[in-house]
Amino acid sequence: MEKSPARPVRARVAMVVALAVAGFHMIGTFFYTAPSTPATAEVGGPFTAHMRPYFGQSWRIFAPDPQTIDLRIWVRAAYDSPTGEQTMTDWVNLSEVFNAQVHHAVLPARTWRIPVSLHRYHSGALEDLSDTQQAVAFADHTGAEGREALRDALLGAGASVSTVESYQRAEDALYELGSNAAWVLWPDVAPGAVQMSTSTQGVVPFSERHTTGVQRPAESFVRLGWRAPLESTAAERAGFAEAFGRYVP
Amino acid sequence: MSTRQQVTHSLRETVRAGESWMLDSRKASYGVAVLRIGFGAILAVQLAVTWPDRHLAWGAGRSFAQGRVDTDDFPAALDALFSGSSPGVLFDLQYLLLLALAVALMLGWRARLVVPLVLVGYVALVRTNPFIGDGGMQLMRIVLVYLLIADTSGRWSIDARRRERRHPGESRARLGWPGTLLHNTAVLLIAFQIFVVYVASAMYKIQGGLWQHGSAIYYVFQLDEFSTWPEVTAWLSGSGTLITVLTYSAVFVQLFFPFLLLRRGTRVVALVAITGMHLGIGLLMGLMYFSLTMIAIDAIFVRDVTYVTVSTRVARWWRERRARRRAGISPPGAASAAEEHRTTVPADA
């Protein structure tokens, strides 16, 4: 029998320690990423405590089923015309503007999926509101005090402080993107208010893909209320416009 | 030998083989080099391509994302590097510095210092806009953490060349057994991480009706956000058989990936199939950075001896080609015997 090479004891001890630490982390990675099981609830906790933020991950890629709807975000603005009349712009599909950036691109710029992520983020927060609270979000809250008015109305409709905060965080993200886009889309007017809408549209089902004249299901809109344009600094607006201005056809 | 003795013997042999694997040589030394080169290149290309859009992606123009940054789990100290609100010129300089570090990572220059710097810079940059992100970004962050303890520039790097010049033949002994132990632990962690990615995504998929039905890929192809080449995906979607084959093979290749690696024959099949899958996804769905990140990590599963053989052949072909060009004629096989002599294969490969 071949004799094992002379190895310092400390090398063996270090190896055991390294494998123990790696093993612990592997079990943590397993629990953190695997579909939730009774074992995750019972013993998973201590193994996964260290996973966030550096080892945070999710591998539900197109699963359990891939998304079968397009997620879009839309913006329009209201402004006073030179004659003093309240005028509204047409709706603009921001997702289309961003998506065009990846069309026929092998190595696209990293910005193109922002509207889809923002749609998911906002929809998630909106779903946490009850029907009455959602009605508050669908109503108009314009003017300088609009944000506070929305907050008070949501609290008045029974939403908890943390729910209101997380909803407003999501809505602010959506409206700030919309406001910055509005400055670029309608450079000749000063928007007094902006309105955002999200939409979803299903695709032609697989079984009907060869059917002559088949149409996609109708697009379904979630129309939020009018808000005052979100204040951003000149640098923020310029940073946004520099890239977005090139996207706009 | 009694059964008990046999069991003890085979246990002892297993432990010895394990010890030897962990402590005697640095595993996947070329694979880890390819991973390092790949990560450096992927990051550098991403940053270069996004340069005209950088302020909207990660600079002042991404102010709409600040609410999410304020409530994330990352240490606020990262703001010192990229806060998303630094003046444009300072942001540009930091951005270019990260790009330069990515190139240094690719070249394997001062890797022990560059790997941690790239990790911190990358996390700080990407954190400023959580609306931009995919599995590739998550994986690059996680694997960069593991690379902190790996010997990433042992091969095919400026570091390796410099060491070879200064101390010919001694490059393998750097940091001794502790360095080897840490490197091999990193290799284990990276391998496990990629197994988790594949097996977990497959396990989530097999719960889904559309994956079972064999039409999931069709639906992905229909979405605006993944319609990078609508002409191609429309053509692919025409054939139900093709869609089913693509759907099922995506699930099976991922689910069985770790097991297919166990034997050489199936390993080649697995690596070719998974690389093809990644390139397809990357090209047709605009997810090239994600795909290239996965391919770079999968590179650790190619054996060192394969890298050495391939690189030796490529080097020989290149020298012959140059020699022929210089001579202006092409004597068949004239250069190859001499070149064969000059090519050295590392003893541990």
Side-chain angles (χ1 to χ4, degrees):
Chain A
M1 195 164 61
E2 202 186 314
K3 259 188 84 79
S4 56
R7 241 187 266 286
V9 173
R10 59 181 195 282
R12 289 199 161 119
V13 172
M15 185 188 76
V16 171
V17 172
L19 288 177
V21 173
F24 181 88
H25 177 66
M26 287 176 185
I27 296 171
T29 306
F30 174 82
F31 276 127
Y32 192 85
T33 53
S36 185
T37 62
T40 320
E42 281 176 23
V43 295
F47 292 101
T48 53
H50 72 287
M51 293 297 289
R52 290 191 65 80
Y54 294 100
F55 300 104
Q57 52 192 298
S58 163
W59 304 111
R60 281 172 185 252
I61 308 172
F62 306 121
D65 274 321
Q67 184 187 307
T68 55
I69 47 172
D70 273 319
L71 307 176
R72 303 186 186 121
I73 61 177
W74 302 74
V75 63
R76 69 173 171 175
Y79 61 96
D80 289 330
S81 72
T83 56
E85 218 177 320
Q86 263 270 313
T87 313
M88 268 183 283
T89 66
D90 288 333
W91 284 103
V92 168
N93 179 353
L94 292 179
S95 305
E96 196 179 16
V97 175
F98 277 82
N99 270 335
Q101 302 314 303
V102 76
H103 206 67
H104 294 162
V106 176
L107 296 167
R110 270 297 195 173
T111 49
W112 62 282
R113 291 181 72 200
I114 289 174
V116 171
S117 309
L118 202 46
H119 185 299
R120 286 210 186 93
Y121 183 54
H122 181 266
S123 309
L126 188 68
E127 277 162 23
D128 289 341
L129 301 182
S130 69
D131 289 349
T132 344
Q133 293 155 7
Q134 287 189 3
V136 173
F138 300 150
D140 301 337
H141 299 277
T142 49
E145 307 299 318
R147 200 177 182 282
E148 281 67 36
L150 171 64
R151 182 190 151 84
D152 293 343
L154 283 171
L155 289 171
S160 70
V161 173
S162 69
T163 307
V164 174
E165 276 174 2
S166 70
Y167 177 73
Q168 285 203 290
R169 197 177 304 124
E171 209 197 75
D172 286 348
L174 191 63
Y175 275 83
E176 184 155 358
L177 183 90
S179 305
N180 283 338
W183 293 107
V184 179
L185 290 165
W186 302 290
D188 305 327
V189 303
V194 290
Q195 186 180 26
M196 300 300 293
S197 175
T198 60
S199 76
T200 53
Q201 186 177 24
V203 301
V204 172
F206 179 76
S207 53
E208 291 170 32
R209 71 195 192 288
H210 292 313
T211 312
T212 324
V214 69
Q215 296 286 323
R216 292 180 65 164
E219 192 165 5
S220 142
F221 292 88
V222 173
R223 193 162 295 183
L224 300 160
W226 287 95
R227 307 279 187 267
L230 251 87
E231 295 290 328
S232 18
T233 65
E236 289 166 354
R237 215 185 279 177
F240 186 89
E242 173 194 64
F244 185 73
R246 269 186 291 108
Y247 301 169
V248 178
Chain B
M1 238 195 280
S2 71
T3 318
R4 196 176 152 188
Q5 279 173 319
Q6 274 178 349
V7 170
T8 322
H9 173 75
S10 74
L11 265 179
R12 199 177 290 150
E13 284 301 305
T14 310
V15 169
R16 183 179 300 162
E19 262 188 17
S20 168
W21 197 95
M22 288 299 288
L23 295 165
D24 289 344
S25 65
R26 296 183 186 182
K27 299 298 174 305
S29 63
Y30 286 92
V32 169
V34 173
L35 168 56
R36 183 205 78 235
I37 294 166
F39 269 24
I42 294 162
L43 183 53
V45 169
Q46 250 181 91
L47 293 176
V49 167
T50 309
W51 174 258
D53 307 63
R54 66 197 179 285
H55 293 129
L56 171 53
W58 298 298
R62 50 91 261 168
S63 54
F64 57 87
Q66 190 57 38
R68 265 184 96 180
V69 179
D70 291 339
T71 52
D72 73 9
D73 296 334
F74 287 99
L78 289 171
D79 283 353
L81 293 167
F82 288 104
S83 69
S85 56
S86 21
V89 181
L90 180 62
F91 170 79
D92 289 354
L93 285 175
Q94 289 166 316
Y95 191 96
L96 288 173
L97 182 64
L98 184 58
L99 181 65
L101 283 169
V103 174
L105 180 71
M106 189 173 76
L107 299 175
W109 179 79
R110 305 281 172 196
R112 293 243 177 245
L113 182 69
V114 165
V115 170
L117 290 178
V118 167
L119 170 66
V120 174
Y122 179 67
V123 170
L125 177 81
V126 164
R127 167 180 181 258
T128 61
N129 194 346
F131 294 113
I132 294 176
D134 57 27
M137 283 188 166
Q138 298 177 14
L139 261 184
M140 188 172 275
R141 158 173 39 79
I142 295 167
V143 172
L144 276 172
V145 175
Y146 299 150
L147 288 182
L148 291 174
I149 58 167
D151 178 7
T152 57
S153 63
R155 308 283 188 194
W156 291 342
S157 68
I158 294 179
D159 288 355
R161 283 195 175 197
R162 185 180 54 241
R163 279 191 295 262
E164 183 61 29
R165 218 172 33 239
R166 285 188 194 159
H167 313 285
E170 282 178 29
S171 62
R172 305 296 295 153
R174 263 169 321 112
L175 297 179
W177 66 262
T180 303
L181 173 63
L182 288 174
H183 174 86
N184 291 338
T185 306
V187 171
L188 280 182
L189 287 167
I190 295 167
F192 183 79
Q193 176 64 57
I194 207 79
F195 293 164
V196 160
V197 174
Y198 288 136
V199 177
S201 11
M203 280 186 73
Y204 282 117
K205 286 187 178 86
I206 54 180
Q207 298 173 27
L210 295 177
W211 290 97
Q212 289 167 20
H213 180 251
S215 57
I217 296 281
Y218 163 82
Y219 287 96
V220 176
F221 282 164
Q222 302 310 303
L223 300 177
D224 290 346
E225 58 173 318
F226 299 121
S227 296
T228 309
W229 299 88
E231 311 82 359
V232 183
T233 43
W235 177 77
L236 289 172
S237 301
S239 162
T241 310
L242 205 52
I243 288 292
T244 307
V245 168
L246 290 176
T247 303
Y248 268 66
S249 53
V251 177
F252 287 151
V253 170
Q254 291 189 337
L255 188 59
F256 299 130
F257 185 75
F259 311 102
L260 291 173
L261 290 182
L262 292 173
R263 298 185 67 87
R264 190 170 180 275
T266 53
R267 184 163 63 228
V268 173
V269 173
L271 288 171
V272 169
I274 211 129
T275 305
M277 184 187 89
H278 288 317
L279 288 176
I281 291 172
L283 213 63
L284 294 178
M285 290 157 61
L287 298 175
M288 207 43 151
Y289 305 115
F290 177 27
S291 292
L292 291 176
T293 305
M294 298 293 283
I295 293 171
I297 301 171
D298 288 340
I300 68 162
F301 297 116
V302 177
R303 291 184 307 167
D304 277 357
V305 66
T306 309
Y307 282 119
V308 172
T309 311
V310 170
S311 65
T312 307
R313 283 197 193 145
V314 170
R316 190 195 308 156
W317 170 82
W318 179 248
R319 284 198 208 104
E320 283 178 6
R321 190 167 167 269
R322 268 206 331 198
R324 273 203 302 272
R325 277 207 175 163
R326 243 179 244 158
I329 44 164
S330 50
S336 62
E339 296 300 327
E340 189 92 57
H341 226 69
R342 246 194 281 161
T343 319
T344 52
V345 177
D348 63 326

